[in-house]
Amino acid sequence: MALAGRMRREEVAPGSRVVSEGDLGNRFYVVLSGMFTVTQEDRGERGLLRPGDTFGEVALALGVTRTASVTAMTPAIVASCDRETFDEFLRPLFADD
């Protein structure tokens, strides 16, 4: 419940890019509705994201720039959280024990 209260919902129009490869990462995203394409400049299309999928964790967990671009293919809604919330609630899921 605490995590949900710190997430921000955002409507995304078809063709809108949510994150761009090479940019600094400052948010983690969950796809609530719609479809997104994942692309990399050197490799082209890398996959599709659907409701329940997540993106943005690589830049936050590893401290690197965005490794891919994510663009809405359909009208969509995402929920996102900032780095502080990611670090508090989600980073432990990506830690090597």
Side-chain angles (χ1 to χ4, degrees):
M1 191 72 152
L3 175 59
R6 292 174 58 180
M7 300 288 282
R8 178 177 77 194
R9 284 177 62 107
E10 178 182 347
E11 292 186 17
V12 184
S16 294
R17 187 173 283 182
V18 180
V19 299
S20 296
E21 183 178 356
D23 284 356
L24 294 176
N26 59 3
R27 297 195 75 76
F28 170 76
Y29 296 87
V30 178
V31 178
L32 299 179
S33 69
M35 292 183 62
F36 294 83
T37 184
V38 179
T39 57
Q40 289 180 312
E41 209 169 287
D42 294 342
R43 298 173 136 182
E45 187 172 316
R46 303 300 296 157
L48 295 175
L49 299 175
R50 296 174 172 85
D53 290 334
T54 62
F55 61 97
E57 72 282 356
V58 173
L60 296 177
L62 300 179
V64 298
T65 59
R66 297 288 187 195
T67 58
S69 296
V70 177
T71 306
M73 299 173 61
T74 66
I77 298 174
V78 295
S80 68
C81 67
D82 60 18
R83 179 182 297 276
E84 179 181 322
T85 302
F86 178 87
D87 287 346
E88 182 179 342
F89 291 96
L90 300 165
R91 180 179 294 281
L93 300 174
F94 296 95
D96 291 331
D97 290 336

